[in-house]
Amino acid sequence: MTLGLINANPIVHAKKERVARCEDPHCDFVRDIRDPEHPYSLEQLSVLSEESITVDDKLGRILITFTPTIQHCSMATVIGLCLRVKLQECFPPHYKVDIKVSPGSHADEEAVNKQLNDKERVAAALENPNLRQLVDECLYSNEL
Amino acid sequence: MDLDDEGSNFELKEIQTLSGHTDRVWSLAWNPATGTDDAQPVIASCSGDKTVRIWERSALTRSWDCKAVLEETHTRTVRSCTWSPSGKLLATASFDATTAIWENVGGDFQCVSTLEGHENEVKSVSWNASESLLATCSRDKTVWIWEVMPGNEFECASVLQGHTQDVKMVKWHPTMDILFSCSYDNTIKVWAEDDTGDWHCIQTIVSGHSSTVWAISFNAGGDKMVTCSDDLTLKVWEADIEGMRSGNDQVLWKHLSTLSGYHDRTIFSVHWSREGIIASGAADDAIRFFVESKDSVVDGPSYRLLLKKEKAHDMDVNVVQWSPGENRVMASASDDGTIKIWELATSSN
C-alpha cells in the first residue's frame, strides 16, 4: 500500500444541478459515492456522470462506466467495488451489473475490467475486512 | 436412441427446490455411494453463508430434506465441496484459505482434518479415482497435491507453480492420476508425476479460451473433456487414451470442437453425463444441454443444442451436476440461494 496519494491534485468540479434524466433515483445515489482518496464525490471529480449508467429494466441489466482521474489509477478496482455494492443496494438482487472503465481512460483497461466483473473475485474482495472498510467509508461517509 | 433423434422433444422438469442457505450457493456434489437401491441420494452444497449443507431424499416421501448444516468451521465463503469416490469423506474448500475434510460419524458430520498452506482463497478441491490423492487450487496461483495417509492425515506432496493468475478449478482424470487445472489466466494445464515422483506440467493449453476458464468435465470414457469460460464458449478436447494409459507423457490434448453463439454471459459450470449429455450453467440464469450431433462432419464430431431452460433460477447458475445414480437427473445451484433437482425428460406428444 503506497503511502502517498495516487492522485494528489485532482481537478474538482462543482456539483451539477440534478437534471430531469434522473427521474431514475438510482443515478443520484451512485454519483454521491466519495472518492477513496479525497473528500469529494465521484461526480465532482468527473469520474461519473449521467451518461455513465445504462439501465435495461426489461432484461434486468445495468452497465456502468466510470473514468478514473488518471491513467494509472490503482484505486480503479476500489471505485469499481464501491459502485457494485451501491448498485446492489439500489436495485433488486436479480439485476446483472457490468462495470467498466470508460474506453481509453486507463492503462490496464482490459485487466481492470476483467477483475471488476469476475464475480468470485468481487465476492472474495468484499470479505476482506480492510477492503470492506474502505468501501464502506466511500459509500457512507457524511463528509459531503 | 432419443438423443440421436433430432425430432425428439425434451423438457427439463423441476422435481424440487431446496432452500435453506442464506447466501448464494456456489457448488454442490452428489455423494457417489448413494442413489442406489440401498442408499437414498445425498447431496452436499456449499455457500457464501460459510456453511455446508447435507441433503438427503427420504425413501418414504421421495422428498429432499436438509439433514445437517456444517457450520462454525469455515470462517468465510465455502466455495467448493466434493465427496471422496467411496462417499466416506467430504472435502470443502473455502475463501478462508483452508480445505476441511469431513467424516460422517454415526450420522454426525465431523471435521477430521484441516489442510492449510494456500496463501489466500481456495477455489476448488478434487479427489483422484483411487482416493489416494487430493488436489486443491487457489487465487495464490498454485495447485497443491496432498497424499492421503492413514488416520485421516494429509501430507502435502507437491506445490505446483505455473499458472500466472487465480486458479479456478482442479479436476483429476476419471481413471488416471493425471491432474487438470483451469485458470483466470485463460489456460488449462495438465499435470503428471514422473518416474522420480515429481509432479510437473506436461501440457498448457494456451490458444484455447480467450478469457477465464471456469470449469472442466470429462466424458465417461475419459478420452474427451469439455471446458467452459467467461469467453462465452464451451470447448471440447480429446486425447489418445491408450497412449495416456501406457504412461506416455507426450500425449497431448487437442481441440475438437467449440460451441459458440449459445451463451451471452459467463458460463460457470459444465458437466458431462455418463450418457454423453453436456449440461452448462451460466450467468444468464439458464441451463443448457448439448449432445454430439450425428451429422457427419469431415473434421470430427460436432455438438448441437438439445434444450435451453431459461430462468432455471432467478439468478446466476453457479453449478450443474448430473446424478451418479439416476438416469437424466440433475442438480443445479444459484446465486438465488437455492438448489434445484431436475429431470430431463422427453415430452410425450
Side-chain angles (χ1 to χ4, degrees), chain B residues 63 80 92 141 167 198-199 202 216 231 279:
Chain B
S63 175
S80 159
T92 59
K141 307 172 196 162
V167 189
D198 284 332
W199 288 88
I202 61 172
I216 302 166
D231 70 5

Side-chain angles (χ1 to χ4, degrees), chain A residues 10-29:
Chain A
I11 299 166
V12 183
H13 304 267
K15 271 194 187 179
K16 274 187 184 164
E17 283 295 319
R18 293 290 183 258
V19 178
R21 191 272 186 241
C22 283
E23 329 136 4
D24 182 348
H26 308 296
C27 269
D28 286 15
F29 301 176

Side-chain angles (χ1 to χ4, degrees), chain A residues 118 120-122 124, chain B residues 26-27 78-81 93-95 97-99 118 120-125 136-140 166-170 182 184 214:
Chain A
D118 180 315
E120 190 186 66
R121 293 290 283 264
V122 169
Chain B
W26 280 108
S27 194
V78 188
R79 177 63 181 87
S80 159
C81 56
S94 169
F95 284 0
T98 73
T99 303
H118 279 296
N120 48 50
E121 302 92 57
V122 189
K123 304 293 178 90
S124 173
V125 56
T136 57
C137 65
S138 160
R139 179 168 64 87
D140 68 11
D166 183 10
V167 189
K168 297 299 197 186
M169 188 192 208
V170 278
C182 60
Y184 184 101
W214 281 97

Side-chain angles (χ1 to χ4, degrees), chain B residues 36 106 109 112 136 179-180 201 254 266 302 304 309 334:
Chain B
T36 63
F109 279 85
V112 297
T136 57
L179 182 65
F180 294 74
C201 180
K254 297 192 178 79
T266 306
S302 65
R304 65 179 178 91
K309 178 75 177 181
S334 164

